[in-house]
Every structure is written in structure tokens, then in C-alpha cells.
Amino acid sequence: MPVRHAVKQGDCILSIASQYGFYDWKFVWNHADNAELRERRTDATLLAAGDVVVVPDPRPKTLNLATGAVHRLVVHRTPVALRIQFLDIEEEPLAGRAYELSFSGITLDGQTDGNGWLEKEIPATQRKIALILAMGDGKPTKGPRYEWDIHVGHLDPLTEPSGLMQRLANLGYWPADEASEEILPYAVCAFQADHGLEMTGEVDDKTKDKLKEIHGGF
Amino acid sequence: MRVPVPHGGKVSAVLVPRPMAFLAVQVHFEGQPSLGRQVQFYKYADAKNNKGDSVGDVMTTDVDGVVRLPRLVATGHYVCEIDGQDHAVVSTVDRLKDTYPVYLPVDAEVVDLHAHAPDGDTTDEGGN
């Protein structure tokens, strides 16, 4: 009997599929009963709290294996890569900066490439990552640095006010001490002014398109 | 910061460390908030209070003597021109409800009522 899973903050199709024992999230996403959801949420990784995902019955794979022997079974899982671009306030790449990612007792380090990109494989189920980026040429843990707590799978769709606020915050258009929706017109105006759009404070289609273009493909 | 779950070769996010804040002042004259003052903000050009490019349009102070630029700006110092005459260097504020106080006339000496009286001063109101 399929399960109707009510999405809560932090859920995504990968975590939901994994929770119900599916390695391939597409099997869940492409289920016929999720057709309406697929139409509404064009990106499988961007679900909003309140969405409902229909999780089909699992279809266990049957293997015929001889007793008295050791069998090696390999599960093919697609690794996921975190891809983040760092830009300065002039929107120029923060190139060649050392960074450090920490999660679940693991620390991964590296350096942004010439275009300010960080690309690192992470476990598909990892939800919270601490990120440090060096401001200058030194190590990220010594001297001036930027620090972020990255909440993976917590980005809401752009059609939701929360999704809009989260993207503006990622792009730096949000004061650190404020969380109220009252700030939105001020942040939208700043974004519009910096990107040659009419400064209305309204989230029109042009503003959404530009935000999508600058923030990334989601 | 919130990013979607990575999948395929898609971009997770673009992060920009861009400290932003509000540009809002409360203009006072003779100890009271001053209504109807014309305020124009400019970028802060140098330490001699010279103004740079204008920021936003001319705005008029409300009954509380407040004007607030309707957008976030980069955190820092700006020049505030009042009624086309007085220039004050002001700082951005971190919260929407906050304002930076400006007292007119800008160059007037501020009397600090709480300053320590010099030795030998006998103007203590509480004295006999």
C-alpha cells in the first residue's frame, strides 16, 4: 500500500526515498501518483513543507544465491557533489581560496578553482555541513575567514516567499540579524538595483528570472 | 545558508559574503524630531566628508524625523545631506527599526550634560 508522506522542512526526495528504503529516488519521484507534484515542483530536490509525496511499495530484488559460499553484492549509488561558487561583493570569483568542509566527524579541505568553485562529493544523506573559507591566501582555520552553516536539502522552491528569502540570503542580500519577512522589499530592491532591474521591491517575473540566473539553476 | 540536495551536475548555490544593512536616520532639531526635512544620501568619498555618488532619491523626514532608504546598502559610512546644506557622516544600522541620529545644525558643538565638571566648579545643582 503506497504511503502518503507529508513533506516537512529539510525533507527532499532523496531523504524521503532513503527513509523508505529506496536507493533510487527516481523510482519514487516518477511514480504515477506523483504526477501532480512533478508538474508543480519542476525540480525533484526542491520540495516545500506541506507537499505530499506518494511513496510506492518497495519492490525487493530477489537473488538466487547458493548456500555455503560467500557472495559479494554491490549496490550502485550515485555520489552527489556539492557545487558552490563563491563571489565577492563585486560578484567576482573568490578564486584559489582554501576551504574546509566538516560534517559527522569528517573534514574535507580543498581550494576553490579559478572561477571560485568548490566541488566536493558528500554523502547523499548529509544534511548539515560547516563550511569555512579563507578570506585571504592562508589556511581557512587561521586568520580572517568566512563561516557558513550549510543546510543541505533545506532550500525551498523559488515560488515560495521562504525560497526567495533563502536565495537572497545566499547572495548576501539579507542582514545577518534579521529574519522577518518585512525585510523582503528592502532586499529585493537592493538586488534589483545591483542587477539593472527596475527597483520596485516587488518580486516580478524578471526579478525571479534574474535571481534564478545569478543563484544557480534551481 | 540553505542549499538543495546536490544531484547531477547542478549548482548547489552561489554564496556571496556581502554585509548589507539599512540606511536610516532620525533628524533632530532643538531636541525634537524634525518633520519635513529633505534628505539625500551619498556614498562616503573620503575622510574630509566629501560626498560621492548619490544613493537613492531625495526623501522627506516623517513625523518622527525619520527617513529610511527603501533598500539595503553595503554596510559602512555614508554622507547624509539635509535640506541641501548640512552634511553629516552617518553609519548604516543593522536592524530595520533602528535609525542613526543626526542633530541639527550638524556642526554645532554638542553640550555633554553628563561630562565631569572641572576642578573647582561649584555649579552642582545639588549643592547647598
Side-chain angles (χ1 to χ4, degrees):
Chain A
M1 183 91 175
V3 174
R4 293 176 62 80
H5 177 97
V7 175
K8 54 187 184 303
Q9 182 58 248
D11 274 349
C12 69
I13 196 71
L14 274 87
S15 66
I16 296 166
S18 176
Q19 180 184 334
Y20 290 92
F22 292 93
Y23 282 126
D24 186 1
W25 59 269
K26 287 177 189 159
F27 184 76
V28 177
W29 182 245
N30 291 328
H31 189 271
D33 289 350
N34 289 321
E36 187 273 331
L37 181 65
R38 286 198 299 275
E39 192 152 322
R40 201 152 38 86
R41 306 286 181 216
T42 50
D43 196 302
T45 61
L46 290 179
L47 301 177
D51 286 344
V52 173
V53 176
V54 178
V55 182
D57 291 326
R59 292 194 305 190
K61 193 169 184 176
T62 305
L63 296 171
N64 295 315
L65 302 171
T67 55
V70 175
H71 301 277
R72 188 171 175 217
L73 303 179
V74 178
V75 177
H76 291 280
R77 301 176 71 175
T78 311
V80 297
L82 190 66
R83 294 188 72 223
I84 295 176
Q85 188 182 29
F86 298 97
L87 303 177
D88 65 16
I89 57 170
E90 305 296 331
E91 299 196 353
E92 293 296 320
L94 288 168
R97 303 294 176 86
Y99 64 80
E100 199 175 271
L101 298 173
S102 307
F103 53 88
S104 307
I106 299 168
T107 299
L108 304 174
D109 55 20
Q111 209 170 38
T112 57
D113 71 10
N115 291 314
W117 284 100
L118 168 162
E119 189 161 344
K120 221 46 165 182
E121 283 189 7
I122 60 166
T125 52
Q126 191 60 44
R127 289 291 164 269
K128 195 171 175 191
I129 296 173
L131 168 60
I132 304 174
L133 180 77
M135 279 190 191
D137 294 334
K139 288 186 175 181
T141 49
K142 291 181 181 171
R145 58 188 181 261
Y146 303 109
E147 294 184 37
W148 289 274
D149 280 330
I150 307 287
H151 298 269
V152 181
H154 283 249
L155 188 73
D156 292 332
L158 187 53
T159 49
E160 307 294 321
S162 56
L164 195 69
M165 290 160 63
Q166 290 159 6
R167 284 165 179 79
L168 286 166
N170 286 351
L171 294 174
Y173 292 101
W174 208 269
D177 292 342
E178 292 276 11
S180 161
E181 221 170 290
E182 271 184 288
I183 314 300
L184 192 55
Y186 294 87
V188 170
C189 274
F191 176 81
Q192 290 169 329
D194 282 356
H195 294 92
L197 299 169
E198 192 186 352
M199 212 177 70
T200 61
E202 299 289 326
V203 189
D204 51 21
D205 287 344
K206 279 185 183 173
T207 304
K208 274 188 187 169
D209 289 347
K210 196 67 175 176
L211 194 54
K212 197 171 173 180
E213 177 194 325
I214 304 289
H215 183 269
F218 287 93
Chain B
M1 297 294 127
R2 292 160 184 266
V3 302
V5 168
H7 76 109
K10 285 200 171 186
V11 175
S12 301
V14 174
L15 298 185
V16 186
R18 186 197 319 259
M20 302 288 274
F22 300 95
L23 192 49
V25 295
Q26 184 176 38
V27 181
H28 299 261
F29 180 63
E30 294 181 342
Q32 298 294 321
S34 192
L35 168 71
R37 300 280 182 175
Q38 302 284 297
V39 175
Q40 172 74 64
F41 292 109
Y42 295 89
K43 288 186 176 170
Y44 180 60
D46 56 43
K48 292 178 182 171
N49 294 3
N50 287 328
K51 58 191 187 187
D53 295 338
S54 61
V55 178
D57 298 326
V58 175
M59 293 177 289
T60 307
T61 57
D62 63 15
V63 288
D64 296 318
V66 171
V67 288
R68 182 176 287 105
L69 201 70
R71 65 178 165 101
L72 294 169
V73 294
T75 302
H77 293 98
Y78 290 81
V79 171
C80 170
E81 184 181 79
I82 299 161
D83 291 339
Q85 298 173 20
D86 288 290
H87 290 75
V89 177
V90 299
S91 292
T92 52
V93 292
D94 291 336
R95 293 182 174 277
L96 180 60
K97 306 288 184 210
D98 292 345
T99 54
Y100 188 93
V102 176
Y103 298 94
L104 297 178
V106 169
D107 293 329
E109 205 167 304
V110 177
V111 178
D112 187 351
L113 296 175
H114 300 287
H116 291 292
D119 291 343
D121 190 332
T122 56
T123 56
D124 185 354
E125 291 174 10
N128 293 324

